[in-house]
Amino acid sequence: MAAAVSSEEAAAAAAGGGDNGLSVLTETLSTVPVEMFAFDFDLTLTRRHIYNAGVTVEDVESGRAPLQAELPYCDELASILQGITAAEKKWCIVTFGQPNVVRAYLRAMGFPDDQTEVYSPLNDGERYNENKSPPKDKNNILSEIATKEGVEDKRRVFLLDDDGRNVAAARRGGFSASVVERPGLGMSIQLFLRYLSQEKRPAPAWTEVWREEARGSFVSSHFGSTIRGCASAPWDKVARRRGGSSTLSPLVAVRSLPPTYSGADQVPMR
């Protein structure tokens, strides 16, 4: 897929705001050869891993896990989704988390359940256990989406995911996909169009490091309190704030750890 999205268009869409900004975004998206935009949820759209944090629908609706705190750029994300619809394209959420919790956040953004599609191996309120693990990738779900939505060319299904393995598998399966290079940062209009324009780039090796750092509790439990607070730091300043190889070495070590459960009901660390 060759997405002809220039940096000028991205800047205009991001800075436009209001009806004009939405119009620019819609016009840009109408030129992209994608029929279905499939967004991962945890650490792609959210600041932290919502499933592993145990967030419930009640937490979302009561304000204990509020929209503005959990979804950075949530207003711009809403504009992205509206722009996709206005461009006569489709979008959905493809997650390994609980679909009812994802729908609760979408409702808080102004998208009622009958206007959203959330795909997950889990049922509402269900959690993984010793008898049920997440799939190794999202290709079966993407194939289901393509069939359901009548997308004949898999290349016109575009996955955005923070896990480079899901992205690599999707590309091998014939889908278009782009990795989120800074998990936990959120999805602004400018970032979205940048990822779209960089669809053919290989997943960066450092994705694993950033993902585990954004996950926070996992890294802290293995390497101590010196790692706490990383997820809220500006991503391009994290290395400098650590100030030297000795403080960065725990992060490098994360990539050598095998995928494993951090708890019986949690998603494997991937």
Side-chain angles (χ1 to χ4, degrees):
M1 182 185 73
V5 181
S6 68
S7 57
E8 290 79 13
E9 288 171 323
D19 293 339
N20 181 61
L22 181 60
S23 176
V24 172
L25 177 61
T26 300
E27 182 179 354
T28 301
L29 290 174
S30 67
T31 67
V32 175
V34 173
E35 295 180 41
M36 169 61 75
F37 294 85
F39 296 88
D40 172 51
F41 190 67
D42 289 321
L43 293 178
T44 296
L45 304 182
T46 65
R47 190 181 306 279
R48 60 174 174 160
H49 199 290
I50 297 298
Y51 175 87
N52 279 3
V55 175
T56 66
V57 172
E58 292 72 23
D59 291 332
V60 180
E61 294 178 344
S62 68
R64 289 192 296 269
L67 174 68
Q68 295 287 344
E70 301 293 358
L71 274 74
Y73 304 110
C74 61
D75 292 338
E76 290 195 37
L77 174 59
S79 294
I80 291 169
L81 302 181
Q82 292 167 355
I84 291 171
T85 301
E88 300 183 349
K89 309 294 180 76
K90 299 177 181 180
W91 61 270
C92 64
I93 305 296
V94 183
T95 179
F96 287 162
Q98 295 176 324
N100 57 329
V101 175
V102 176
R103 287 195 297 269
Y105 278 112
L106 292 174
R107 286 196 299 273
M109 291 174 60
F111 298 96
D113 289 354
D114 61 359
Q115 294 181 14
T116 62
E117 293 285 349
V118 180
Y119 295 86
S120 173
L122 294 176
N123 297 314
D124 291 350
E126 186 181 13
R127 295 192 70 85
Y128 297 106
N129 52 48
E130 63 275 9
N131 297 316
K132 183 168 186 174
S133 300
K136 61 183 176 64
D137 57 48
K138 296 184 174 177
N139 285 14
N140 286 341
I141 300 177
L142 295 176
S143 294
E144 175 188 347
I145 294 168
T147 299
K148 180 180 178 180
E149 300 297 337
V151 181
E152 297 181 0
D153 187 346
K154 288 183 178 181
R155 293 174 298 177
R156 293 181 177 269
V157 176
F158 178 68
L159 173 68
L160 265 170
D161 202 303
D162 68 288
D163 193 317
R165 288 167 292 185
N166 289 333
V167 169
R171 291 173 179 170
R172 288 195 300 269
F175 302 98
S176 296
S178 184
V179 71
V180 175
E181 297 177 8
R182 298 180 178 183
L185 183 63
M187 190 64 63
S188 69
I189 294 173
Q190 188 170 16
L191 284 171
F192 170 65
L193 293 179
R194 183 189 305 164
Y195 296 143
L196 188 59
S197 68
Q198 296 173 351
E199 183 272 333
K200 288 186 178 296
R201 288 180 56 189
W206 281 96
T207 298
E208 292 298 315
V209 172
W210 296 126
R211 182 181 304 106
E212 303 304 349
E213 188 169 10
R215 207 180 302 272
S217 60
F218 173 74
V219 178
S220 298
S221 66
H222 282 75
F223 302 114
S225 60
T226 57
I227 306 299
R228 295 185 187 277
C230 290
S232 61
W235 290 101
D236 60 347
K237 297 180 182 178
V238 167
R240 283 176 288 174
R241 199 183 83 177
R242 296 285 173 250
S245 59
S246 60
T247 52
L248 279 174
S249 57
L251 296 181
V252 176
V254 171
R255 293 198 68 244
S256 66
L257 297 173
T260 182
Y261 283 106
S262 63
D265 64 346
Q266 290 188 327
V267 177
M269 307 309 295
R270 56 167 295 174

